[in-house]
Amino acid sequence: MSTTPTRTAAALGALALTLAGCSLTGGGGDDEAGDGGEVTVVTHDSFALSEDLLAQFEAETGYTLTFVAPGDGGALVNQLVLTKDSPLGDVVYGIDNTFAARAVDAGVLEPYTSPDLPDSAGEYVLDEALTPVDVGDVCVNVDHQWFADAGLPEPVTLEDLADPAYRDLLVVTNPATSSPGLAFLAATVGAFGDGWQDYWADLADNGVKVVEGWSDAYYVDFSGSEGAGLRPLVLSYASSPAAEVTAGGGDPRTGALLETCFRQVEHAGVIAGAQNVEGARAFVDFLVSADVQADIPGQMFMYPVDTDVALPEAWAAYAPLAEEPHDVPAEQIAAEREDWIAAWTEIVIG
Amino acid sequence: MTTTRPTWAGPLWALAAAVPLAFLAVFFAWPVLALVGRGFVADGGVDLGGFAEVFSRPRTWRILGLTLAQAALGTAGSLLLGVPGAYLLYRTRFPGRAALRAFVTVPFVLPTVVVGVAFRSLLAEGGPLGFLGLDGTFAAIVLALVFFNYAVVVRTVGGMWERLDPRAEQAARALGASPARALRTVTLPALAPAIASAASVVFLFCATAFGVVLVLGGLRFGTIETEIWVQTTQFLDLRAAAVLSVVQLLVVALALGVAARTRAGQERALRLGAAAAAAHPLRVLERDPRGRWRPGPDLLPAGVTAVVVAGLLALPLLGLLVRSFRTPGGGWGLENYVNLGTTGGPGTLSVTVWEATANSVRVAVDATVLAVVVGTLVALVVSRRPRSRSGRRAVGVLDALFMLPLGVSAVTVGFGFLITLDRPPLDLRSSLVLVPVAQAVVAVPMVVRTVLPVLRAIDPRLREAAATLGAGPARVLATVEGPFLVRSLGLAVGFAFAISLGEFGATSFLARPDRPTLPVVIFRLIGRPGAESYGMAMAAAVVLAVLTASVMALAERLRTAEATPW
């Protein structure tokens, strides 16, 4: 243990200062200068890119990459806000549109949008500090086989889910604890406006089941994947059916209901106070390059923002994106998220 | 009773107390206070308005009530089932006892996310136990809490029971007391310190349970801990989180206070005997003189323990094991285990599961060394009985202080690390040492609670006699306390190692992506789409369970080898 009394005294002193509300010096300055070759990437815990691509980036630019992955998308943004005075790294990837406005409002990002941004990504730009990298649809998934066996037509729209014909068939995740849950709540707000609360009351009356996490819903309650659950409708992603294609080939047993979707857009940005601003920018540019965009579906189960990039075969066949996902502006989500969740909890959980 | 102590004994004890205190201050108190402080500082001034606001929410009161109710029921259940288990596993001998002892510890260290899914697979509509209608109920949470904490009771109580001199009980029986009366008037009072110790630890574990409560009960049955997590990670409402943290600390302090009072009232010097002498062959059925079978005295504890082990512990674990042999294609085989040598599908893991296992073991070694050194120092200091009133009070405060890490949420500690240990002189945020340090902070209370009851049970007259005969403090320590210490240390090492292997909350915050531990890897696998990842997660969880059971069995063996009569 390297803890000496002097250090403890210093620590206690710092504690006293922090408690007194004095801001200690920011993260810059004390450490070695920013011309070192290191770029620290802060990202969520689902981040993945091919090793070859990362090695290629390091070889071409001379930067060394270090990754920090402190939690899911929400925790990621909150940690950036908390550590604003002493940033976790240089560049962040994985801020989605349900949390983007909070990051922007808190000033944790430096203005920079990649000049290499493909034209097709233009519609996803929210703020000059954010570069959209990939998108994904959160949609209700359906077990085709279950409905075929039951001789029941599959539901199509959000309204259908509240139809008594589909009583006790749907399992969703809690918007307070899971990001797909929050996305689906936003979809219903986008679809029904002020009427969303009535819709959820109807869903609750119709026996919707709420669990806390995606894997719990998908692997325990859903009948389509492991085949163990009883419910043939589950909140998941548009890309999930592609993951159900088995090595033996053949059509997957599940599909996504494309009229129930909310689009998540994941962004990258340069962190305010970055030690290595140039390196951070280079990494943002790298994320929207054609090679990385093509790598994203197989690695992170998201769709590239660059629509010129070809999708994997199974995706093209079984996992199309929604034509018209339900939409809510990021600012509105930031402003109303807490109220939504409080109201939702009251209506559905009680 | 006069003792002649060298003048340097005082400073030496002060130093022994100072090292763990400094550790606790830097790696626990400072980060936690800094984060909680942020909740109470607004616009440069202290703002305590959060209390009024948070307490005006009906939800806060409901959560507080639920926390206390589930902790009380979870503790009662663990004690009721665990004490017979402790008797059976530590006072009787039967084939397979060592394996069973190791097995009951497995639940304690499994990652909560795996246990949650395993429990829900059993209880969900359509699951094997779906007909019970327990899915999403309060009862399911309490059952899961007992599942986790059964081992704590069995091991802390059993560890002491094993060494309890059987002669007092034998004397009571010889004088005509029934077995039940002997148990109630002689044995249980003697075990009271260990039972109180176990109860306080279990209560704290239950009151601060997080992952399993979230998975099984959702936000309907939240605890203060889950509420802090939601407020911090989802809403960034530090004010509410800070208020709840203070409330949680109060609950914890109250529980500790009650436990300390119970212990103090019933603490006595015990006559500890040799372990081997204490255990007797299991007597479930006995032949009476006419050769007929009739129930033996161990039937009840054996029955209770069999039901607990088979019904509560084995069933979820068995479900996990069975599932791990289901191949992604839908058949049965070893494919999931073969896949542990890979990094899974594209983009799934940064290292293979075996490499993550190696990381876990390395981290656990560091964490164990830290926890055992710090915890033993604390236990030694706290086991003293200073003559002065203020000295005794100081010892009591020190004892309580080191239980606090059990009562503070991993989220608070994790976020606290991020905002405090982030600049010189202690810039450790991306350092590899943070993970073992954080795990050691969690494990220290368990080490203290394992070692302390044994040290306290040493008759102080032994120490005094040794001192009177001219032994210095170091010699007293080595000759009087040493043998006791070494015996309880095996268990403490096992616990610390197992806690480190299974720790997820703080580790997930601090582990570097290139050096994930086994629970972190399991969490990642379970969250990835695709049957291959899910199958690997199940196989990896089985590996973690087997690893844990092996470590506990080994700790047990070391301890038995050491337990020679003296």
Side-chain angles (χ1 to χ4, degrees):
Chain A
M1 258 162 303
S2 59
T3 327
T4 63
T6 339
R7 275 206 178 158
T8 314
L12 290 174
L15 169 67
L17 283 174
T18 315
L19 285 178
C22 303
S23 168
L24 297 176
T25 47
D30 296 346
D31 298 330
E32 52 189 293
D35 57 11
E38 193 159 311
V39 179
T40 304
V41 183
V42 185
T43 181
H44 53 52
D45 49 19
S46 326
F47 175 81
L49 281 180
S50 298
E51 297 283 325
D52 303 351
L53 275 178
L54 296 173
Q56 189 189 325
F57 173 80
E58 291 185 326
E60 281 173 9
T61 60
Y63 296 120
T64 317
L65 291 171
T66 312
F67 291 90
V68 182
D72 66 10
L76 171 68
V77 170
N78 290 341
Q79 294 201 10
L80 288 179
V81 174
L82 271 178
T83 57
K84 202 176 148 191
D85 296 336
S86 178
L88 290 169
D90 303 303
V91 55
V92 56
Y93 159 75
I95 299 181
D96 77 24
N97 46 332
T98 59
F99 277 93
R102 173 179 289 169
V104 170
D105 294 347
V108 298
L109 299 169
E110 193 143 286
Y112 179 73
T113 313
S114 175
D116 303 339
L117 192 67
D119 291 340
S120 60
E123 59 172 312
Y124 300 125
V125 173
L126 291 178
D127 187 278
E128 57 168 349
L130 294 168
T131 298
V133 175
D134 53 53
V135 302
D137 284 349
V138 171
C139 318
V140 172
N141 278 22
V142 58
D143 175 1
H144 292 315
Q145 201 175 317
W146 189 95
F147 280 95
D149 293 347
L152 193 67
E154 292 179 4
V156 176
T157 63
L158 288 173
E159 285 86 349
D160 290 347
L161 299 175
D163 185 324
Y166 302 106
R167 170 175 291 278
D168 295 338
L169 299 187
L170 173 65
V171 56
V172 302
T173 55
N174 191 327
T177 54
S178 95
S179 100
L182 179 60
F184 185 59
L185 176 57
T188 62
V189 174
F192 299 105
D194 290 340
W196 72 268
Q197 301 200 15
D198 297 332
Y199 174 72
W200 274 100
D202 292 345
L203 272 189
D205 287 344
N206 210 29
V208 65
K209 178 165 189 154
V210 179
V211 299
E212 297 308 311
W214 172 83
S215 51
D216 206 10
Y218 200 78
Y219 290 121
V220 176
D221 294 287
F222 184 43
S223 62
S225 177
E226 287 287 298
L230 284 187
R231 295 185 176 239
L233 296 168
V234 65
L235 183 66
S236 191
Y237 301 91
S239 58
S240 302
E244 293 293 329
V245 180
T246 53
D251 290 352
R253 131 178 210 170
T254 68
L257 303 181
L258 295 181
E259 293 185 31
T260 62
C261 304
F262 178 84
R263 182 151 300 168
Q264 289 184 320
V265 185
E266 291 195 304
H267 303 266
V270 178
I271 298 174
Q275 304 268 313
N276 189 344
V277 176
E278 283 311 309
R281 291 179 171 180
F283 190 76
V284 174
D285 297 345
F286 168 66
L287 287 175
V288 291
S289 69
D291 286 344
V292 173
Q293 290 285 303
D295 197 38
I296 283 174
Q299 297 283 335
M300 288 189 276
F301 290 93
M302 297 293 278
Y303 300 74
V305 286
D306 186 345
T307 49
D308 292 340
V309 168
L311 286 173
E313 249 173 73
W315 288 50
Y318 304 115
L321 280 170
E323 302 257 319
E324 286 178 55
H326 300 290
D327 186 33
V328 184
E331 300 77 35
Q332 192 188 344
I333 300 177
E336 299 176 9
R337 185 204 296 110
E338 264 95 274
D339 294 339
W340 290 347
I341 292 176
W344 180 93
T345 306
E346 192 116 321
I347 296 164
V348 182
I349 303 226
Chain B
M1 272 200 296
T2 53
T3 52
T4 48
R5 289 194 176 175
T7 46
W8 46 269
L12 207 64
W13 283 116
L15 186 69
V19 169
L21 272 176
F23 179 81
L24 193 74
V26 173
F27 295 113
F28 176 73
W30 179 31
V32 168
L33 286 176
L35 188 74
V36 171
R38 287 226 182 162
F40 293 131
V41 175
D43 306 324
V46 174
D47 167 29
L48 297 178
F51 277 99
E53 204 263 313
V54 171
F55 278 107
S56 67
R57 302 177 191 170
R59 182 172 170 81
T60 306
W61 291 100
R62 198 162 62 101
I63 293 285
L64 187 59
L66 277 170
T67 305
L68 295 177
Q70 74 172 44
L73 289 173
T75 308
S78 303
L79 286 180
L80 221 57
L81 300 175
V83 170
Y87 169 79
L88 198 78
L89 288 173
Y90 288 86
R91 285 302 280 230
T92 69
R93 282 195 306 266
F94 54 91
R97 187 182 67 167
L100 198 58
R101 280 189 191 173
F103 173 76
V104 300
T105 319
V106 171
F108 179 64
V109 294
L110 278 182
T112 49
V113 56
V114 172
V115 173
V117 173
F119 255 74
R120 280 218 59 225
S121 303
L122 284 179
L123 299 178
E125 317 160 316
L129 299 181
F131 63 91
L132 295 174
L134 287 175
D135 192 22
T137 63
F138 188 69
I141 298 177
V142 172
L143 279 179
L145 291 175
V146 175
F147 171 85
F148 272 113
N149 290 300
Y150 178 75
V152 178
V153 176
V154 169
R155 289 192 169 267
T156 26
V157 176
M160 181 159 239
W161 209 331
E162 173 175 51
R163 286 186 298 275
L164 207 59
D165 192 333
R167 280 172 298 187
E169 194 182 332
Q170 284 158 5
R173 294 277 288 126
L175 293 171
S178 68
R181 192 180 158 87
L183 179 73
R184 191 161 45 83
T185 56
V186 178
T187 311
L188 284 184
L191 288 175
I195 293 179
S197 227
S200 59
V201 171
V202 172
F203 185 87
L204 290 188
F205 277 140
C206 292
T208 60
F210 168 66
V212 76
V213 174
L214 203 59
V215 172
L216 292 177
L219 294 186
R220 189 172 310 160
F221 296 116
T223 55
I224 302 178
E225 182 100 352
T226 58
E227 200 65 10
I228 291 173
W229 178 77
V230 170
Q231 296 298 339
T232 310
T233 63
Q234 305 299 309
F235 299 150
L236 200 60
D237 186 349
L238 289 186
R239 214 161 77 130
V243 170
L244 290 167
S245 296
V246 171
V247 171
Q248 188 171 34
L249 273 177
L250 283 180
V251 170
V252 167
L254 212 66
L256 291 176
V258 171
R261 199 157 276 265
T262 321
R263 282 202 300 269
Q266 298 181 318
E267 212 156 74
R268 62 184 65 188
L270 294 171
R271 297 175 58 110
L272 298 182
H280 58 76
L282 185 66
R283 295 164 310 193
V284 176
L285 291 173
E286 283 178 338
R287 270 177 203 274
D288 64 12
R290 288 150 76 181
R292 279 186 309 207
W293 291 102
R294 58 191 178 98
D298 297 337
L299 184 65
L300 185 69
V304 169
T305 306
V307 169
V308 171
V309 168
L312 186 63
L313 305 191
L315 217 52
L317 294 175
L318 206 65
L320 197 65
L321 186 68
V322 168
R323 178 57 192 81
S324 74
F325 290 110
R326 178 113 161 258
T327 59
W332 300 92
L334 290 172
E335 200 177 327
N336 294 324
Y337 289 90
V338 174
N339 285 344
L340 296 184
T342 71
T343 54
T348 304
L349 302 174
S350 54
V351 300
T352 69
V353 175
W354 296 125
E355 285 171 285
T357 309
N359 287 340
S360 273
V361 171
R362 269 194 295 269
V363 168
V365 169
D366 295 348
T368 304
V369 169
L370 270 177
V372 168
V373 168
V374 172
T376 308
L377 281 174
V378 173
L380 277 174
V381 172
V382 172
S383 69
R384 301 293 107 175
R385 293 185 176 81
R387 274 171 192 74
S388 70
R389 202 187 166 84
S390 60
R392 280 198 300 275
R393 186 157 297 165
V395 160
V397 168
L398 191 68
D399 186 8
L401 271 182
F402 279 87
M403 291 292 280
L404 287 183
L406 288 183
V408 172
S409 86
V411 180
T412 308
V413 178
F415 270 99
F417 272 22
L418 288 180
I419 62 166
T420 47
L421 305 176
D422 63 339
R423 45 178 75 94
L426 269 181
D427 186 1
L428 298 177
R429 272 197 314 208
S430 56
S431 161
L432 289 175
V433 307
L434 266 196
V435 175
V437 163
Q439 293 176 346
V441 170
V442 180
V444 163
M446 282 305 289
V447 173
V448 175
R449 291 270 78 87
T450 312
V451 174
L452 190 56
V454 178
L455 285 183
R456 279 203 170 136
I458 299 172
D459 194 327
R461 284 170 300 186
L462 273 179
R463 277 198 292 263
E464 278 151 11
T468 316
L469 294 171
R475 202 180 154 86
V476 172
L477 198 64
T479 54
V480 178
E481 283 157 326
F484 288 93
L485 200 58
V486 169
R487 288 178 175 205
S488 57
L489 224 48
L491 183 56
V493 165
F495 259 137
F497 206 86
I499 288 175
S500 166
L501 280 180
E503 211 284 331
F504 176 71
T507 308
S508 68
F509 267 92
L510 305 167
R512 289 208 327 219
D514 56 336
R515 294 279 187 86
T517 62
L518 198 46
V520 170
V521 159
I522 292 172
F523 180 76
R524 171 138 184 157
L525 284 169
I526 222 170
R528 299 281 295 183
E532 187 191 344
S533 299
Y534 191 67
M536 277 176 77
M538 296 298 123
V542 171
V543 168
L544 180 59
V546 170
L547 191 62
T548 305
S550 312
V551 167
M552 287 315 281
L554 201 68
E556 197 82 45
R557 193 157 289 260
L558 287 177
R559 197 167 62 111
T560 333
E562 191 51 51
T564 46
W566 68 95

